[in-house]
Amino acid sequence: MADILSVREKYTKLNSRDHQTKRGLKMTEILNKYLFDEKAYDYHDAAYKALVVPKTKVHSLRIPKILEADKIQGDTIYYTIRAQTGETQILDGKPTATWGYDASVLGPLIKFVSGKHYHLTLINNLPEVTTWHWHGLDIPGPIEDGGPHAPVRPGEKKEIEFDINQQTMTAWLHPHPCPHTAEQVWHGLAAPVAVINPADNLPQIPHDWGIDDIPIIFQDRTFHDNQLDYQSDYDMDGTLGDTALVNGTANAEFTVTRPWLRLRVLNGANRRELRLNSNDNITMTQIASDGGFLPHAVPLTKLMLTCAERAELLLDFSSYKTGDQVVLKADDTPILRLKVGDFTEDNRSQLPATLKQIERGFTGGATHKVVMAGMDDSVRINDKLYDMTRIDDQQVMGKNEIWDVSNTNDDMPGMGMIHPFHMHGMSFLVLSRNGHDPYPNEFGFKDTIGVNPGEHVRLLVRFSVPGIFMYHCHILEHEDTGMMAQIEVIDPAHPIHWDLKDLCEKNGVDPHMQM
């Protein structure tokens, strides 16, 4: 722990306002540690399922298409997004029955521009109720945000509208019905989302989608005669698969045609922690986390993301020759081969010393406490299971407040596990971990953070939109089991009285559904 703390101190100085950094990729000491508490990693669980290399040929990495707008009228953009069934060729042999958004699996890149208004038509062509949750977007809740209060039934169409006003960042879309989120994601419902804010976009960073700017949506699945069988693989503490998928691709390969490659990495797994590394310890320079750009780039060779966390990385291939390969791995298992081809152009540029100005000087006492506890069917937040009709906390829109989030799993000897904590409708700043500075790559805005057993994480929370929002553990089976709560964000200028029982009745939601 002492060496981690010393690294934190160095990066705290780096992120201070008066610290000057060198331009370019190599800004400071390269991190070679995952930073989280090793004794709590998922592979210590008795039910852990190790990844294996699939017995299938190499497949070209699937790159999601970009969703086209139905129409554009002034500053209003119209999209239609369908949840649908399909078949996807994942392994050799018969195709796999999968679900996706306007695709057989996963979905297209959905672009939002800050300052624009969006009108979305949501069509459910699935055989069961689903919702559209915009993970990472600062939009009102609970309907627009797409939690369990906003169901869309089979064959049904619903329309929502919202404004986008936030910084450049990578978010994602996934379903959030209770208690079937985990199974629907397991079937394939997930899509990348990109917010573009011209005010803080960095032209120096690769941005040609599918060429030097690519998504890395990491998931794991087990296949039964090439098919998915969630009920057979189900684990209440988080379902694990033995086959790694990147963008729904098994044994994936991508050809690098420019010296700089931007990776938008999402841990989209139900349970598995992603410990990303490579065969030759290539430097992966992190430039952004969940909520957008970091204050300064952080070079590293190892990166751990808990479920739903994101990171944007720059890899420099300028010293590699045509035919060379860099193999990205999850722990010791290859998940993506980056094969160096002929460079079509040199897209390298100078990174600015400061990527994003972020003020971290807020002080004050903790006003909200969240205790995450338990495993299996004993998981709780503040000793309670989720209730769709109960408001667990309140906060005034536009007001900075501190949240103290803790994980008490260290009370269970030999049973501790990391819980990824997620909040809807906003992005927070990480102020401290157990009274110490955050990890070096946690100085930007985030919406999900892994909390070690026995740890208190202090967050600076500010909502810019009103409504009802959930906060929960993002191990999907834990949230389905009821490890969730919800907060009412109040706009004093336009207060709303929420009758959640009535809202459930109007939307045909059973508030007494079993978690």
Side-chain angles (χ1 to χ4, degrees):
M1 181 62 74
D3 56 346
I4 293 177
L5 293 180
S6 65
V7 171
R8 285 177 175 174
E9 291 171 358
K10 292 177 183 178
Y11 274 84
T12 301
K13 184 179 291 185
L14 174 69
N15 283 287
S16 65
R17 285 182 294 177
D18 59 348
H19 188 80
Q20 298 297 315
T21 62
K22 297 179 180 179
R23 293 181 179 269
L25 280 177
K26 295 182 179 179
M27 290 192 172
T28 187
E29 177 180 339
I30 297 175
L31 290 178
N32 295 298
K33 301 179 182 298
Y34 291 120
L35 301 175
F36 285 87
D37 291 348
E38 192 278 337
K39 66 180 184 298
Y41 288 176
D42 55 0
Y43 57 61
H44 292 298
D45 193 309
Y48 180 76
K49 189 180 293 186
L51 291 174
V52 297
V53 178
K55 295 180 179 179
T56 184
K57 63 178 179 289
V58 174
H59 295 94
S60 295
L61 179 68
R62 184 177 285 107
I63 302 294
K65 67 178 182 180
I66 299 175
L67 183 67
E68 294 186 5
D70 298 332
K71 62 180 177 179
I72 300 174
Q73 292 182 332
D75 284 336
T76 299
I77 294 94
Y78 292 77
Y79 283 134
T80 297
I81 304 173
R82 298 169 181 82
Q84 63 189 53
T85 62
E87 288 187 331
T88 306
Q89 193 70 53
I90 297 176
L91 303 176
D92 294 345
K94 68 177 71 172
T96 303
T98 51
W99 293 3
Y101 297 108
D102 287 283
S104 65
V105 71
L106 302 181
L109 173 69
I110 304 166
K111 285 187 174 183
F112 295 113
V113 177
S114 190
K116 303 292 185 181
H117 182 77
Y118 288 87
H119 184 286
L120 274 61
T121 300
L122 312 175
I123 300 175
N124 182 5
N125 290 330
L126 301 174
E128 62 186 62
V129 172
T130 191
T131 76
W132 276 253
H133 168 52
W134 301 95
H135 184 126
L137 295 191
D138 299 350
I139 58 177
I143 303 304
E144 295 87 347
D145 174 69
H149 296 92
V152 183
R153 282 165 188 74
E156 193 173 49
K157 175 174 68 175
K158 287 195 175 179
E159 298 184 4
I160 59 172
E161 297 184 58
F162 52 77
D163 296 321
I164 293 292
N165 291 292
Q166 57 194 102
Q167 64 182 353
T168 294
M169 50 90 73
T170 300
W172 62 304
L173 166 66
H174 66 79
H176 215 307
C178 289
H180 302 294
T181 298
E183 185 169 8
Q184 292 192 1
V185 172
W186 190 263
H187 283 310
L189 288 181
V193 173
V195 175
I196 301 167
N197 188 328
D200 64 7
N201 228 21
L202 296 176
Q204 302 94 330
I205 294 174
H207 57 269
D208 285 342
W209 184 253
I211 299 174
D212 57 13
D213 180 359
I214 65 172
I216 303 294
I217 303 172
F218 170 79
Q219 296 175 312
D220 57 327
R221 300 289 183 265
T222 297
F223 293 90
H224 306 264
D225 191 24
N226 279 22
Q227 301 306 310
L228 301 172
D229 187 341
Y230 179 75
Q231 295 304 323
S232 294
D233 296 316
Y234 174 77
D235 185 331
M236 189 177 291
D237 246 348
T239 302
L240 294 163
D242 61 14
T243 301
L245 302 179
V246 177
N247 302 352
T249 313
N251 202 8
E253 180 179 87
F254 178 80
T255 300
V256 180
T257 57
R258 293 178 185 173
W260 268 18
L261 183 64
R262 177 185 186 178
L263 305 181
R264 299 176 186 250
V265 185
L266 159 67
N267 183 352
N270 286 37
R271 164 70 180 98
R272 187 178 299 274
E273 296 152 5
L274 172 59
R275 281 171 288 275
L276 187 67
N277 64 95
S278 69
N279 61 322
D280 66 348
N281 289 322
I282 189 173
T283 299
M284 304 180 291
T285 301
Q286 185 171 349
I287 58 173
S289 56
D290 307 337
F293 293 122
L294 298 172
H296 303 279
V298 177
L300 42 81
T301 60
K302 299 180 186 297
L303 171 68
M304 178 165 161
L305 297 177
T306 58
C307 299
E309 286 189 289
R310 285 94 70 205
E312 294 190 32
L313 307 173
L314 283 184
L315 276 61
D316 186 351
F317 287 89
S318 59
S319 63
Y320 290 81
K321 302 185 296 295
T322 301
D324 288 346
Q325 287 193 39
V326 170
V327 180
L328 298 184
K329 301 186 294 181
D331 289 326
D332 296 326
T333 304
I335 61 171
L336 174 62
R337 291 171 179 81
L338 299 172
K339 184 178 179 180
V340 180
D342 295 328
F343 292 147
T344 58
E345 65 176 80
D346 190 342
N347 65 340
R348 289 172 295 170
S349 185
Q350 291 285 320
L351 285 182
T354 299
L355 302 178
K356 178 75 177 178
Q357 292 283 357
I358 297 177
E359 177 57 53
R360 300 179 52 84
F362 180 82
T363 58
T367 57
H368 306 263
K369 289 189 180 294
V370 176
V371 178
M372 296 187 293
M375 297 175 67
D376 294 318
D377 59 356
S378 67
V379 292
R380 300 287 189 276
I381 284 186
N382 292 345
D383 293 325
K384 296 177 181 178
L385 286 173
Y386 178 61
D387 183 338
M388 293 182 68
T389 66
R390 186 185 68 230
I391 293 175
D392 299 281
D393 207 340
Q394 291 181 320
Q395 184 161 330
V396 176
M397 188 180 80
K399 182 180 179 182
N400 287 332
E401 297 187 4
I402 291 180
W403 285 53
D404 183 298
V405 181
S406 60
N407 175 356
T408 62
N409 275 158
D410 63 326
D411 292 339
M412 307 165 67
M415 295 287 286
M417 68 185 299
I418 297 167
H419 286 297
F421 176 74
H422 169 55
M423 297 185 74
H424 289 216
M426 49 73 64
S427 293
F428 51 72
L429 287 175
V430 185
L431 299 178
S432 65
R433 285 182 175 271
N434 270 356
H436 299 288
D437 295 314
Y439 295 151
N441 57 348
E442 293 180 335
F443 282 82
F445 285 95
K446 291 181 62 60
D447 57 54
T448 307
I449 182 169
V451 184
N452 294 297
E455 189 171 44
H456 283 257
V457 177
R458 287 166 64 85
L459 309 174
L460 175 59
V461 173
R462 180 181 181 274
F463 288 89
S464 60
V465 291
I468 304 294
F469 299 99
M470 290 185 290
Y471 51 97
H472 56 85
C473 173
H474 215 287
I475 293 173
L476 296 183
E477 284 74 16
H478 280 184
E479 65 178 81
D480 279 348
T481 306
M483 198 174 184
M484 295 194 294
Q486 52 195 15
I487 182 171
E488 177 185 14
V489 178
I490 301 168
D491 179 0
H494 303 93
I496 299 174
H497 171 68
W498 291 99
D499 185 332
L500 294 181
K501 289 184 179 180
D502 182 62
L503 182 64
C504 288
E505 289 180 3
K506 287 181 178 179
N507 288 326
V509 179
D510 179 5
H512 306 294
M513 65 181 67
Q514 294 297 310
M515 298 293 172

